[in-house]
Amino acid sequence: MERVVAANEVAFSLGFTGHSGHLHLEPLHPVVRPNSLTSLPDFILPPAFPQETHERMRESIEENYLHPEVDLDEFSVQNSGRWWHYDWFDRAKLQLEPSEPRFIVAPMWELPFRRSKNSVIWNPHSVEVDITLLMEGAQELGSMPRMPGPPKEFVRGSTNNRPFRPGGLEGSQALQRSLPEGAHSGDWVHEVIHGGHAQNVPPSSKNGLDLGSLKEYTCQWTYTSQQIFPEKDSIDEGMNKHSVQFNYLFKMAWEEDIIEGSSGDGSNQDEIENEDAKVDDIPETLENTILSESSDAEAELGGQSAKAKNHDKEVWALLGGNDIIVDHFHELVPDMAIDFPFELDSFQKEAIYYLERGESVFVAAHTSAGKTVVAEYAFALASKHCTRAVYTAPIKTISNQKYRDFSGKFDVGLLTGDVSLKPEASCLIMTTEILRSMLYKGADIIRDIEWVIFDEVHYVNDAERGVVWEEVIIMLPSHVNIVLLSATVPNTIEFADWIGRTKQKKIRVTGTIKRPVPLEHCLFFSGGLFKICENDEFLPQGFKAVKEVYKKRKSNAVGGPSGVKHVASHFHGGGQPKQFDRSNRERSQKHSGHQNAQNSLNTSGNQHTSGLRRSESSLWLSLINKLSKNAQLPVVIFCFSKNRVDKSADNMTGTDLTSNSEKSEIRVFCDKAFSRLKGSDRNLPQVVRVENLLKRGIGVHHAGLLPIVKEVVEMLFCRGVIKVLFSTETFAMGVNAPARTVVFDTLRKFDGKDFRKLLPGEYIQMAGRAGRRGLDNIGTVVIMCRDEIPEESDLKQVMVGRPTRLESQFRLTYTMILHLLRVEELKVEDMLKRSFAEFHAQKNLPEKERLLLQKLRQSTKKIECIKGEPTIEAYYEMASEAETYRRQIMEAILQLQSTQQLLSPGRLVIVKQLPAEDHLLGVVLKTPAAANKQYIILVLTTATASSMQASCPLNKIQENQSFQQGYFITPKGKRGTEEEYFSSITSRKGSGAINIKLPHYGSASGINYAVTEMENKDIISICNCKMKIDQVRLLEDASNIAYAKTVQELLKQKPDGNKFPPALDAVKDLKLKDMALVQMYHIYNEFLQNMSENKCHGCTKLNEHIMLMKEQSRHKEEVNALKFQMSDDALQQMPDFQGRIDVLKEIYCIDSDLVVQLKGRVACEMNSGEELICTECLFENQLDDLEPEEAVAIMSSLVFQQNNTTEPSLTPKLAYAKKRLYDTAIRLGQLQAQFKLSIDPVEYARDNLKFGLVEVVYEWAKGTPFADICELTDVPEGLIVRTIVRLDETCREFKNAASIMGNSSLYKKMETASNAIKRDIVFAASLYVTGV
């Protein structure tokens, strides 16, 4: 550092310090100044210690550290040979360094334009901050700040780095791992104070060091009822009043979150927020009005006061629409970061105002509404603040186009899979996958990012790549603000609320449903345009008009003698009736494959005839002539098939839509663009064909085009020289090039699985390309109608229907799991909880937690067992399990014919007594009949006589009635046997009538009984014994003696008092043949026997105790259900996560402690192909015996995506390598299916390995010209280029993996293979990047 001499001889040193190169000012020591005594200022004190010289420092080090002293008493001659205890730590000369402070007082930074302008000197407020937060965004998941890595890893990061802590993760359970075990319950406090065995195994370690027991301290616990959380509601206050809340107390103590003296109403916090939001030159009333309206909006959305302190109830998505911001925009934002040459719309002003305040914004508006203005302003703010901004897009084409658009305004860099331009720029444009990789690999550039702009957020609905958006949003650090740009979706607030709740920051939602250029929707039929929708309102009269034209034409065709032939000739070019031709058309669509089905509602069937080609050509020509006359060109015609696009353009032979000057402009542009191609590539059939079409003003655009050809078409269309463009739907997503008119060839598409109707969101996205802002007053959307008119309901649904909601496509991947397992403090469960799919479940967790606390504090009545032992729990458990078996067994048994025969009168059965769930012994008195379809059963009950109903058949009235009917009492001296004790006057056969009132209760021999009606489900077991009964004297002529005799006979069947008679044999008696049913039958009857031997069986309080047990069981189930819903096991994808963890353990990517191994680190490098297949391929050395050209050819199967291709012709070596890799994929698929993952091995291998371009890539790597390799396959040229470009990224990933593995030969092989494929037209630079 050079010496700087200032006024009054105050010398100081000036230098650079820190990663970002901040200036460092430090006064110099007086001894280094000339004439130090005379130049010493008054305010500088003399040094407290003498000057340190090299000699003094050397002497001190030698004395303290290099000349150790030994205690002569301990190490004396007398003590030699003994074992002594020596406390090395107590006598160590080395003094321990004090621990680093966790919090310091630091000035709070404010942006210059936000500072108070009343005073000249800026006086910042000092606040207490975490020391790790001093480095902006540099806090990682550990407890210490991470040092910056090497410069080569600054942008892309490395798998050796730990990712930065995601924002909003402060409440994660994973972060609680740093607390001591038992901290939440308070047990560790007792261990520390009262002594005990110390913990000896550090976290994440298998072994530890036993340091002995802790010293005990005498203490006394103070019982307090102080409220810990004064902001809790009254219910929580009452519950927490007299309890020690260790969960909250020690969590707050460890995390230093207690703010003493803070009031519960949150007024101080509101004042701070209001102070931060003030703009000094704005009237205070204006700013307060904006803040109050925001608070009112928050209260309206959340249904509660804006002062609520509980963040779980807080509304994170705040809806815009503040007129004050729009009216006073220039007062609120006087110094804009960038000036626009046009007047901003209302939603743009709102978004810019919130960006100036450093808030995150969600902008939802139609296509071409001006959402890019918000992205530009975020770029301008990053440049003004000397930070960085990242713009992410789902498609590489959008990234290239935005790079061209922003290059003239900002310092812009581009990062894609194959391009890296100016990564040090302040404004970076990249694909979302690149940003995800940077976040997982902890790239140091993340520290500098202030804004991340997500364009086309509605792409989150994409089934394959939608998960990337959710991963990036979850992983972004807290210092990064988010700007989201999306088309209009119905659940914008819901999605923004999820983001705000996940990141713990407010999201301002703004936008507009107004289109900058209104749209009109028309049907083209019979040469005319019929308007059916305007300003998002369906016009029934327009649809009625086209329907009348259709009916009139149909009736005219059928009315005349030759009408049928006329109609067929006009519509189909044939001579068959219309109905017959329609059936042929449907049959043709069913069997003709992908292309014919694309024509869906309106296309006729036989498209291979020359008559149809002439009809198609004339149809397009008539439409284009109609649009040209109405000055409605240029037009984009959307067809949902690459083949359909090419054939439609080729059918327009002889059509020329350009003038001579336009032809000249097209020719000059094409010559410049294609001049970078080499000789043979310049004359490729696709290049020549497209160039001829362009000269006539006709263009084609789909994924099969070469990238350079596609860019030429896009640029010429933006220049306005292309009048008609046939395109697939990717043009609406990837290119910002509006037209005057948009035409839909059909309203159906193939989505990769099946043909379906267009969704309203898809239709709106493509229709939004109609209407050029500033050029057209209205945009026109046309739907082609050939044979038939679409249904009115279908048209209404697609035109004015509700757009598609944003739905979560989150799914677990092995790469995600391995990246998260590399960091102990961030669990995979945290990622699952914060996904959009779990948003509503996690949002309701606070309410469930409060409900759980209430349930836990509910007291349940204790069961007092009179038997001496609390056996009711065991009895209830057996009864519950027996009931489970009974439902499966008895229903099947009672339906058997043999069972119905066995259930005859006199058969002993075991029945169920409700509600006590007790099992009682009974006998069948009468089987079901036509009049009564229930069994009549006499049951021995457990109720006392006083608790029963009056014994109706045994009262004196019935005895008198019985006596009057002919019964007499034999004199005592002449009484005979028991059978002769009562005798009837008349001996008659029973009539089958039931003369007693059911249910019938009574008591005999001290045993209570009941005669009742029962259904099949009440019989729980059938015994293997029968007894004789007297139906007449039991049911018709009620007799006490008969009941007593029956009861005594029943008691004889229970030899030991409680045990039931044996049940029927499952095989011999019931004739069961199902072995599983027989086994369950034996287990079930064993349960019944055990229940009969339990002390609770037959207890008089069984009913009461069973009811208490049911209440306790219900309460326990509710508590367990709430605990499960609040646990990680309730997550939707938790079973899938467990299965994937088992798979990773099986293939040794992780060990039993979930520590990532070498194989797992290699799998983290694989992003372009399926990670497991790539990793197994490397560790099985499948590429070692292949040449670089052969290796890269086999690797193409990992990135190629088209299914139906011609079978390649492979060499024997390549064929063997193909079979070996396919077998590996099958084995991995079988392994995943073994661990209950919903994966079919064959489908898994087919989806992840496509060998259609192996021969093509092999020849390309050997140096074959591109024109020659195109002859080897039917794959379009554009897909070949895309595959080879992605293959270069795969080579780079394999090269990094080889470096981790230490395989130098594989590293060199991948480097050679990458150089072999990087040549000529495949890697031609983008026109957007280099210019024309």
Side-chain angles (χ1 to χ4, degrees):
M1 293 185 293
E2 297 294 335
R3 182 176 182 275
V4 180
V5 181
N8 298 328
E9 292 297 329
V10 180
F12 57 89
S13 60
L14 185 67
F16 292 96
T17 184
H19 175 69
S20 301
H22 296 291
L23 290 178
H24 182 70
L25 184 67
E26 181 181 1
L28 290 180
H29 199 275
V31 297
V32 300
R33 305 175 184 169
N35 197 8
S36 57
L37 296 179
T38 59
S39 61
L40 184 65
D42 296 336
F43 60 87
I44 297 182
L45 298 176
F49 301 96
Q51 178 186 3
E52 290 289 346
T53 62
H54 293 288
E55 291 76 15
R56 289 180 56 86
M57 293 175 61
R58 181 174 180 179
E59 292 176 0
S60 176
I61 293 174
E62 290 180 352
E63 179 181 357
N64 294 330
Y65 304 110
L66 300 182
H67 296 161
E69 297 180 0
V70 178
D71 192 336
L72 298 179
D73 295 334
E74 292 288 344
F75 294 92
S76 62
V77 179
Q78 291 78 8
N79 293 331
S80 60
R82 292 186 182 181
W83 178 269
W84 62 87
H85 296 280
Y86 189 81
D87 191 351
W88 291 95
F89 294 98
D90 184 55
R91 301 187 177 233
K93 297 289 185 179
L94 182 64
Q95 297 297 325
L96 298 178
E97 292 285 343
S99 61
E100 183 182 5
R102 296 186 60 187
F103 293 88
I104 65 172
V105 177
M108 184 172 62
W109 169 255
E110 291 179 339
L111 295 173
F113 62 90
R114 294 184 186 172
R115 299 173 185 172
S116 175
K117 298 181 180 179
N118 298 330
S119 59
V120 180
I121 300 176
W122 172 53
N123 186 18
H125 298 283
S126 295
V127 294
E128 186 180 273
V129 297
D130 192 330
I131 189 173
T132 56
L133 293 178
L134 291 181
M135 300 174 65
E136 182 69 21
Q139 184 180 8
E140 60 165 352
L141 288 172
S143 59
M144 299 293 292
R146 192 189 74 203
M147 296 301 296
K152 66 178 182 179
E153 299 175 358
F154 180 75
V155 177
R156 298 280 184 169
S158 171
T159 53
N160 296 325
N161 295 340
R162 295 157 63 92
F164 295 96
R165 177 181 296 173
L169 200 64
E170 287 74 15
S172 170
Q173 295 180 0
L175 301 181
Q176 299 173 4
R177 295 181 179 180
S178 59
L179 301 180
E181 184 179 353
H184 292 292
S185 61
D187 294 339
W188 69 280
V189 179
H190 292 274
E191 294 179 2
V192 172
I193 296 179
H194 297 299
H197 194 70
Q199 300 177 9
N200 51 26
V201 180
S204 304
S205 299
K206 296 182 179 180
N207 301 317
L209 180 64
D210 190 358
L211 300 177
S213 299
L214 300 175
K215 183 178 180 180
E216 181 179 0
Y217 293 89
T218 57
C219 64
Q220 182 178 0
W221 288 92
T222 301
Y223 189 83
T224 178
S225 62
Q226 180 181 1
Q227 295 180 3
I228 299 174
F229 291 102
E231 68 272 10
K232 290 285 183 179
D233 52 23
S234 59
I235 297 178
D236 291 340
E237 289 176 1
M239 292 187 295
N240 297 339
K241 186 174 181 180
H242 299 290
S243 61
V244 181
Q245 296 292 327
F246 285 104
N247 275 337
Y248 297 112
L249 181 62
F250 290 106
K251 178 180 178 182
M252 295 175 67
W254 275 85
E255 296 182 0
E256 300 291 337
D257 287 339
I258 300 179
I259 303 176
E260 298 181 359
S262 62
S263 58
D265 57 0
S267 58
N268 294 338
Q269 184 68 20
D270 292 341
E271 292 177 4
I272 294 174
E273 293 178 357
N274 294 342
E275 188 67 25
D276 293 341
K278 284 184 179 180
V279 180
D280 297 289
D281 55 352
I282 306 303
E284 185 178 357
T285 56
L286 178 60
E287 188 72 17
N288 292 338
T289 304
I290 297 175
L291 292 175
S292 63
E293 289 198 4
S294 299
S295 300
D296 294 341
E298 181 178 350
E300 181 179 355
L301 289 172
Q304 61 180 16
S305 172
K307 294 182 179 181
K309 294 295 292 180
N310 189 352
H311 74 274
D312 292 324
K313 294 183 179 180
E314 196 168 358
V315 176
W316 298 99
L318 302 180
L319 190 60
N322 198 322
D323 295 334
I324 299 179
I325 298 177
V326 178
D327 298 337
H328 302 273
F329 175 73
H330 295 289
E331 300 175 13
L332 294 169
V333 190
D335 184 18
M336 294 185 63
I338 184 175
D339 295 325
F340 296 97
F342 51 85
E343 180 65 22
L344 297 175
D345 293 337
S346 299
F347 78 93
Q348 294 170 339
K349 292 180 178 179
E350 283 189 48
I352 289 175
Y353 169 73
Y354 293 131
L355 291 182
E356 283 283 356
R357 293 186 55 182
E359 299 186 38
S360 298
V361 178
F362 191 149
V363 181
H366 286 294
T367 304
S368 303
K371 299 188 293 292
T372 308
V373 169
V374 183
E376 289 186 32
Y377 200 83
F379 272 10
L381 282 179
S383 301
K384 183 178 180 180
H385 300 165
C386 297
T387 56
R388 298 180 190 268
V390 171
Y391 179 97
T392 68
I395 298 177
K396 182 181 175 182
T397 304
I398 301 180
S399 300
N400 293 337
Q401 190 177 32
K402 293 300 180 184
Y403 176 81
R404 183 195 63 176
D405 296 342
F406 292 149
S407 292
K409 302 177 183 179
F410 310 103
D411 179 24
V412 184
L414 179 64
L415 293 175
T416 59
D418 59 320
V419 177
S420 180
L421 296 176
K422 295 180 66 176
E424 72 281 356
S426 62
C427 303
L428 294 175
I429 300 174
M430 63 184 68
T431 56
T432 317
E433 284 80 1
I434 297 295
L435 180 57
R436 177 184 63 173
S437 177
M438 292 165 56
L439 290 169
Y440 278 137
K441 295 182 178 181
D444 289 318
I445 197 175
I446 301 295
R447 307 174 193 266
D448 304 333
I449 296 177
E450 182 183 8
W451 303 97
V452 170
I453 304 155
F454 294 93
D455 199 3
E456 307 289 352
V457 175
H458 51 272
Y459 205 81
V460 75
N461 284 337
D462 185 75
E464 292 296 327
R465 300 173 59 203
V467 61
V468 182
W469 273 254
E470 295 189 53
E471 287 183 73
V472 171
I473 291 173
I474 295 172
M475 290 295 297
L476 282 176
S478 58
H479 71 274
V480 178
N481 294 320
I482 302 174
V483 178
L484 302 112
L485 310 178
S486 171
T488 53
V489 290
N491 59 334
T492 305
I493 295 294
E494 179 189 9
F495 192 77
D497 191 23
W498 165 69
I499 296 176
R501 193 172 300 274
T502 301
K503 311 307 295 180
Q504 292 293 296
K505 59 174 61 179
K506 297 294 180 67
I507 307 294
R508 297 286 182 172
V509 180
T510 183
T512 179
I513 59 174
K514 180 182 178 182
R515 290 186 178 275
V517 180
L519 296 182
E520 62 176 8
H521 304 261
C522 306
L523 294 180
F524 181 77
F525 178 73
S526 187
L529 289 173
F530 300 87
K531 186 188 299 183
I532 60 172
C533 184
E534 188 176 16
N535 295 327
D536 295 334
E537 292 185 5
F538 194 80
L539 305 177
Q541 61 273 18
F543 183 79
K544 184 178 180 181
V546 68
K547 202 71 174 177
E548 289 177 353
V549 173
Y550 171 72
K551 292 180 180 179
K552 182 178 179 181
R553 187 169 184 175
K554 182 178 180 180
S555 61
N556 291 339
V558 178
S562 59
V564 176
K565 291 185 179 182
H566 173 72
V567 172
S569 176
H570 183 81
F571 282 93
H572 309 289
Q576 300 297 328
K578 183 174 182 178
Q579 294 181 353
F580 179 79
D581 184 82
R582 181 179 178 183
S583 64
N584 285 341
R585 180 176 70 254
E586 293 175 353
R587 189 182 304 111
S588 175
Q589 288 182 358
K590 182 176 180 180
H591 297 286
S592 59
H594 178 76
Q595 175 188 347
N596 292 339
Q598 292 294 329
N599 302 324
S600 65
L601 292 172
N602 313 315
T603 308
S604 50
N606 188 4
Q607 297 190 6
H608 301 286
T609 63
S610 60
L612 181 60
R613 286 197 296 269
R614 289 194 299 269
S615 176
E616 284 290 308
S617 178
S618 60
L619 186 63
W620 289 121
L621 187 59
S622 62
L623 172 62
I624 292 171
N625 289 336
K626 185 77 173 179
L627 297 177
S628 180
K629 290 179 181 179
N630 297 338
Q632 293 177 326
L633 296 179
V635 57
V636 177
I637 302 175
F638 286 108
C639 306
F640 302 104
S641 166
K642 295 188 290 290
N643 294 333
R644 179 72 177 161
V645 168
D646 291 331
K647 290 186 177 181
S648 297
D650 294 338
N651 285 337
M652 298 187 63
T653 56
T655 303
D656 195 343
L657 303 173
T658 56
S659 61
N660 291 332
S661 60
E662 291 173 336
K663 284 184 171 62
S664 176
E665 181 181 356
I666 293 172
R667 184 175 60 255
V668 172
F669 186 88
C670 290
D671 290 342
K672 288 184 178 180
F674 295 142
S675 62
R676 62 188 66 198
L677 301 180
K678 295 184 179 180
S680 60
D681 296 338
R682 179 66 178 81
N683 298 321
L684 286 173
Q686 185 182 99
V687 175
V688 176
R689 170 177 162 273
V690 172
E691 188 173 356
N692 292 333
L693 288 174
L694 292 176
K695 292 178 182 178
R696 294 189 285 119
I698 302 172
V700 292
H701 189 282
H702 54 75
L705 293 180
L706 293 167
I708 190 172
V709 175
K710 193 187 303 183
E711 291 175 352
V712 167
V713 173
E714 293 167 1
M715 291 181 175
L716 288 177
F717 186 82
C718 292
R719 293 191 177 195
V721 294
I722 296 180
K723 309 302 180 183
V724 178
L725 178 63
F726 292 91
S727 172
T728 56
E729 61 181 321
T730 55
F731 185 82
M733 174 69 74
V735 183
N736 185 17
R740 173 64 178 86
T741 306
V742 165
V743 177
F744 287 89
D745 178 55
T746 178
L747 292 181
R748 290 175 64 88
K749 62 173 288 188
F750 183 76
D751 59 0
K753 296 181 180 179
D754 199 3
F755 293 95
R756 59 171 175 82
K757 299 176 183 178
L758 282 182
L759 299 176
E762 297 171 336
Y763 179 85
I764 292 172
Q765 177 76 21
M766 288 180 276
R769 294 301 175 188
R772 298 163 294 181
R773 189 170 188 175
L775 296 177
D776 304 323
N777 295 326
I778 193 169
T780 304
V781 182
V782 179
I783 300 175
M784 293 291 293
C785 299
R786 293 177 175 82
D787 297 356
E788 302 170 353
I789 305 298
E791 295 294 333
E792 182 178 0
S793 59
D794 295 337
L795 293 174
K796 283 184 178 180
Q797 172 65 22
V798 75
M799 291 180 182
V800 296
R802 192 175 181 85
T804 307
R805 292 171 51 88
L806 293 178
E807 300 288 348
S808 175
Q809 303 296 332
F810 189 86
R811 69 181 187 278
L812 282 172
T813 61
Y814 291 104
T815 303
M816 180 196 308
I817 295 173
L818 290 170
H819 274 299
L820 296 178
L821 289 180
R822 291 193 302 112
V823 184
E824 181 183 2
E825 292 84 356
L826 182 59
K827 299 195 301 181
V828 182
E829 291 87 339
D830 293 324
M831 182 73 79
L832 292 176
K833 289 178 183 178
R834 284 160 174 77
S835 66
F836 190 37
E838 298 287 346
F839 166 59
H840 293 289
Q842 297 297 314
K843 186 177 180 180
N844 297 330
L845 279 184
E847 185 64 29
K848 293 179 180 178
E849 183 178 358
R850 284 188 288 270
L851 182 59
L852 176 61
L853 291 176
Q854 294 178 6
K855 293 287 185 184
L856 291 176
R857 285 170 173 81
Q858 287 180 359
S859 59
T860 56
K861 188 175 180 180
K862 186 178 180 181
I863 299 177
E864 298 179 357
C865 183
I866 62 176
K867 299 290 186 179
E869 295 180 7
T871 58
I872 185 64
E873 291 83 2
Y875 185 87
Y876 182 78
E877 183 178 354
M878 287 188 294
S880 301
E881 294 185 13
E883 180 64 19
T884 304
Y885 281 103
R886 186 188 70 83
R887 293 173 183 173
Q888 304 177 23
I889 297 172
M890 296 308 297
E891 182 178 357
I893 291 177
L894 292 174
Q895 293 178 356
L896 299 175
Q897 185 66 27
S898 59
T899 305
Q900 302 299 327
Q901 297 175 359
L902 292 171
L903 279 175
S904 58
R907 173 67 62 180
L908 271 65
V909 293
I910 302 174
V911 297
K912 183 178 181 181
Q913 181 189 18
L914 295 176
E917 303 289 342
D918 197 8
H919 299 165
L920 306 176
L921 183 62
V923 60
V924 178
L925 302 182
K926 187 176 178 58
T927 56
N932 186 9
K933 297 185 178 181
Q934 293 181 320
Y935 289 92
I936 308 297
I937 300 177
L938 185 147
V939 183
L940 301 182
T941 63
T942 58
T944 60
S946 61
S947 65
M948 295 189 307
Q949 299 180 6
S951 56
C952 303
L954 305 178
N955 55 27
K956 294 182 179 180
I957 298 176
Q958 288 188 349
E959 287 182 358
N960 293 335
Q961 291 176 351
S962 300
F963 182 77
Q964 293 173 1
Q965 292 175 358
Y967 287 93
F968 68 94
I969 300 177
T970 306
K972 186 175 181 181
K974 297 183 178 180
R975 291 178 184 173
T977 60
E978 185 180 352
E979 288 79 3
E980 298 173 350
Y981 185 80
F982 264 69
S983 61
S984 178
I985 297 177
T986 59
S987 178
R988 61 182 178 84
K989 187 177 180 181
S991 62
I994 302 175
N995 296 330
I996 61 175
K997 183 179 180 181
L998 300 178
H1000 176 90
Y1001 299 95
S1003 177
S1005 303
I1007 301 298
N1008 300 317
Y1009 65 87
V1011 180
T1012 182
E1013 296 177 311
M1014 290 189 176
E1015 298 180 355
N1016 285 345
K1017 63 181 182 179
D1018 298 324
I1019 301 175
I1020 62 176
S1021 181
I1022 306 173
C1023 300
N1024 63 353
C1025 53
K1026 292 183 66 176
M1027 57 179 285
K1028 293 182 179 181
I1029 61 170
D1030 190 347
Q1031 278 190 339
V1032 175
R1033 299 173 67 183
L1034 292 174
L1035 299 179
E1036 297 184 28
D1037 304 328
S1039 169
N1040 275 352
I1041 300 300
Y1043 282 112
K1045 180 181 177 181
T1046 304
V1047 169
Q1048 292 173 1
E1049 288 294 326
L1050 275 175
L1051 292 176
K1052 292 179 181 179
Q1053 302 299 329
K1054 301 173 67 174
D1056 55 354
N1058 282 331
K1059 195 171 182 180
F1060 292 134
L1064 289 173
D1065 188 87
V1067 179
K1068 296 180 180 179
D1069 301 328
L1070 297 177
K1071 310 300 182 183
L1072 294 180
K1073 298 181 180 179
D1074 188 350
M1075 295 305 298
L1077 193 61
V1078 171
Q1079 185 177 4
M1080 287 191 297
Y1081 181 80
H1082 289 305
I1083 297 175
Y1084 170 66
N1085 283 283
E1086 185 177 352
F1087 272 120
L1088 296 182
Q1089 292 295 340
N1090 293 336
M1091 291 173 62
S1092 66
E1093 297 173 1
N1094 190 281
K1095 290 184 178 182
C1096 294
H1097 178 64
C1099 178
T1100 56
K1101 288 192 174 183
L1102 180 62
N1103 186 17
E1104 176 186 353
H1105 291 177
I1106 285 292
M1107 296 302 295
L1108 290 176
M1109 282 300 304
K1110 283 186 176 180
E1111 181 65 23
Q1112 292 181 6
S1113 178
R1114 183 188 61 81
H1115 180 268
K1116 185 177 180 180
E1117 289 177 358
E1118 291 177 354
V1119 170
N1120 291 336
L1122 286 173
K1123 288 182 179 180
F1124 175 78
Q1125 294 172 11
M1126 297 171 59
S1127 67
D1128 295 340
D1129 295 333
L1131 299 174
Q1132 296 178 9
Q1133 300 192 37
M1134 201 61 188
D1136 183 63
F1137 169 61
Q1138 296 294 345
R1140 290 179 182 269
I1141 286 292
D1142 294 337
V1143 171
L1144 292 175
K1145 289 181 181 179
E1146 187 69 19
I1147 61 177
Y1148 304 107
C1149 285
I1150 58 177
D1151 62 8
S1152 58
D1153 295 327
L1154 303 185
V1155 178
V1156 179
Q1157 304 300 301
L1158 176 63
K1159 210 172 189 180
R1161 290 186 56 198
V1162 170
C1164 289
E1165 295 287 343
M1166 305 302 164
N1167 296 314
S1168 56
E1170 213 285 332
E1171 50 268 34
L1172 295 189
I1173 299 178
C1174 295
T1175 306
E1176 289 297 306
C1177 173
L1178 290 177
F1179 277 84
E1180 291 177 358
N1181 300 322
Q1182 296 188 13
L1183 303 180
D1184 285 2
D1185 57 344
L1186 300 178
E1187 296 298 324
E1189 297 82 5
E1190 297 170 332
V1192 75
I1194 288 297
M1195 290 164 56
S1196 68
S1197 61
L1198 299 169
V1199 296
F1200 184 50
Q1201 296 179 338
Q1202 184 168 324
N1203 291 319
N1204 301 322
T1205 60
T1206 56
E1207 188 68 22
S1209 176
L1210 304 180
T1211 63
K1213 198 173 182 180
L1214 283 175
Y1216 175 73
K1218 170 187 173 182
K1219 181 181 181 303
R1220 183 171 52 185
L1221 185 60
Y1222 182 82
D1223 293 341
T1224 300
I1226 290 292
R1227 178 174 56 82
L1228 289 172
Q1230 293 172 347
L1231 179 63
Q1232 296 176 79
Q1234 176 185 343
F1235 287 105
K1236 309 303 180 183
L1237 295 179
S1238 57
I1239 291 178
D1240 179 71
V1242 176
E1243 185 177 349
Y1244 171 79
R1246 185 175 62 248
D1247 292 342
N1248 293 291
L1249 293 178
K1250 298 179 176 65
F1251 299 94
L1253 287 185
V1254 172
E1255 181 186 9
V1256 171
V1257 175
Y1258 177 64
E1259 294 296 334
W1260 175 254
K1262 289 171 60 177
T1264 306
F1266 189 80
D1268 295 339
I1269 68 171
C1270 292
E1271 301 295 332
L1272 302 175
T1273 181
D1274 57 350
V1275 178
E1277 294 89 333
L1279 293 182
I1280 296 176
V1281 172
R1282 181 182 179 185
T1283 300
I1284 298 177
V1285 170
R1286 291 190 63 194
L1287 193 55
D1288 177 64
E1289 183 179 356
T1290 307
C1291 290
R1292 184 165 57 250
E1293 294 171 358
F1294 275 45
K1295 187 169 62 174
N1296 295 337
S1299 178
I1300 296 175
M1301 298 169 60
N1303 192 337
S1304 58
S1305 62
L1306 179 61
Y1307 185 94
K1308 295 178 181 178
K1309 183 176 295 184
M1310 290 297 101
E1311 196 170 20
T1312 304
S1314 177
N1315 295 332
I1317 62 176
K1318 292 174 66 174
R1319 61 182 177 86
D1320 299 345
I1321 191 174
V1322 174
F1323 284 85
S1326 171
L1327 299 179
Y1328 290 116
V1329 176
T1330 60
V1332 181

